[in-house]
Amino acid sequence: DWDRVLRGDLVTNAYVMRKNLTRKGNFAQCLERFSMKNPKSLLARSVPESIVLSLDTEENGHLKMDMLHWGMADARDAMGVAESKQREREREAKENGTFKENPLGEGKCLWILKPSMLDRAEEIYLVKDYDELTTAVTGTPEITEWVLQRYVHNPMTIQGGRKFHLRAYVVAVGALDVFVFDDTLAHVAARPFDLYNTTPLGMLGHITNLAFGKQDPDGYDVTKHMRPFFEDVVHGAKEVSVEDANLIHSRIKTIVAECFKAARNQFAGFTVVPNCFELFAFDFLVDENLNPFVLECNAWPDVTVTGPHVRGMVRDLTTGVFEVAVDRLLPPPGKETETPVSPQTQPETPSPKTYVPCTKVKEGDVIGRLH
């Protein structure tokens, strides 16, 4: 009953509107606008080049084919510029004697194409030119909004050369405090990474999503491919140094703060209410230079699919959500709330803060204000 929520009579575990975070197309556009206005921000360096394809449709909801190339003009231009730059790099390499043949073809580079509103790694494609992009889009005429991104070609790898992404759990509370959980979950690809292998089996080395990994005909062991980053990868297997892991996590926290700033700057797509809270999962790909690239944001991630080996992490996360969100909005008897519940007691233009967790999801150092 959103009327009761908006009156301040009801606390809920979801925001009224947050498509600027959870819908890939909106998210990409918000991050692009923020990066253009804040070119020196960390976020501006932490988003792969992205183009949103919003395509015209017929009355049946399928693509309007005669208008297709108009809707893909930005993608065609971006891919053309990238190809020209790649050709120039290859020409210079030939001149200085460092040239290595490009397995993708002269001037080609990889892009990843994702539907804006699907999850579980459905209908994801790797394409190297406009013709392949057109084939992918026309092959799924029921999908009318896509996000095309430059592929991060040099990912950090673990577990014998496997690519991975990090899932950062984030709790947003009221209007608006943001908390980042103090560990991340590493989603590890089913097979070793080979940049140039885009066969069906080769894609198992590119796509790190759990649902996609389970398609491996040789089997997929969730206890091997989903690992708490600090607990297992850093302190257990020691595949990443503590110093490098801390640097990555520090950068992730700053990027998360700036993502919320970007989402709030486009008011219609993210409405914060004092008596709401929500758990989000931000996915990051880390390159070999320790740079995290934000890929997407998911609302209320399903932590039950992670397997019994991460029960401790899920327990701590749940405890943290209660500490920073539930207990603040619905305080136990004898405790005063820190966050106003009623919109009447909330400043018309609040000055929200973003906090870094120290233990679990507790408040720590302020890493930035959201404006």
Side-chain angles (χ1 to χ4, degrees), residues 168-173 177-184 249 253 256 260 277-280 300 303 312-328 338 353-365:
Y169 292 103
V170 177
V171 187
V173 187
D177 290 333
V178 178
F179 302 83
V180 183
F181 189 57
D182 64 349
D183 201 351
T184 53
H249 198 61
K253 289 184 285 190
V256 166
F260 275 91
F277 72 94
E278 191 156 1
L279 175 67
F280 296 95
W300 280 105
V303 297
M313 182 177 180
V314 173
R315 180 193 62 241
D316 290 347
L317 174 62
T318 304
T319 301
V321 172
F322 271 84
E323 288 179 351
V324 303
V326 179
D327 289 350
R328 296 176 69 195
E338 299 176 12
K353 300 177 182 179
T354 301
Y355 296 98
V356 178
C358 295
T359 304
K360 299 179 184 176
V361 201
K362 294 180 180 177
E363 297 179 9
D365 299 326

Side-chain angles (χ1 to χ4, degrees), residues 19-194:
K19 67 180 181 180
N20 280 357
L21 290 168
T22 59
R23 184 168 172 170
K24 295 182 183 70
N26 291 63
F27 191 51
Q29 290 173 335
C30 286
L31 301 192
E32 180 184 16
R33 293 189 185 105
F34 180 88
S35 298
M36 291 177 65
K37 293 179 180 178
N38 303 274
K40 295 182 179 180
S41 65
L42 180 58
L43 181 60
R45 307 191 301 273
S46 304
V47 182
E49 180 181 0
S50 303
I51 301 96
V52 178
L53 309 179
S54 296
L55 307 174
D56 291 330
T57 61
E58 305 283 1
E59 290 184 2
N60 63 5
H62 284 200
L63 292 178
K64 188 177 288 186
M65 292 299 180
D66 58 340
M67 299 294 291
L68 181 65
H69 293 291
W70 287 99
M72 296 173 56
D74 288 345
R76 182 177 62 247
D77 293 345
M79 297 179 89
V81 170
E83 186 168 328
S84 296
K85 291 181 178 179
Q86 180 64 22
R87 288 180 185 274
E88 179 64 20
R89 286 192 291 267
E90 292 174 8
R91 184 190 64 79
E92 292 175 354
K94 288 179 181 179
E95 292 178 353
N96 60 33
T98 60
F99 175 73
K100 293 182 180 179
E101 186 175 352
N102 184 350
L104 299 174
E106 184 180 354
K108 304 297 183 184
C109 51
L110 279 180
W111 298 74
I112 187 166
L113 179 68
K114 301 179 287 187
S116 181
M117 297 179 65
L118 295 183
D119 53 16
R120 300 176 63 83
E122 295 181 87
E123 303 296 345
I124 288 183
Y125 300 92
L126 293 184
V127 298
K128 63 179 183 292
D129 55 38
Y130 184 71
D131 289 341
E132 291 187 357
L133 173 63
T134 303
T135 299
V137 170
T138 56
T140 49
E142 69 279 6
I143 300 176
T144 59
E145 185 172 276
W146 300 83
V147 176
L148 179 70
Q149 288 184 327
R150 281 291 295 271
Y151 192 79
V152 179
H153 68 278
N154 60 335
M156 175 186 283
T157 60
I158 57 177
Q159 290 187 10
R162 283 175 167 80
K163 178 182 171 182
F164 67 97
H165 78 261
L166 293 178
R167 170 155 287 193
Y169 292 103
V170 177
V171 187
V173 187
L176 174 73
D177 290 333
V178 178
F179 302 83
V180 183
F181 189 57
D182 64 349
D183 201 351
T184 53
L185 189 64
H187 290 234
V188 187
R191 299 203 172 194
F193 176 70
D194 181 349

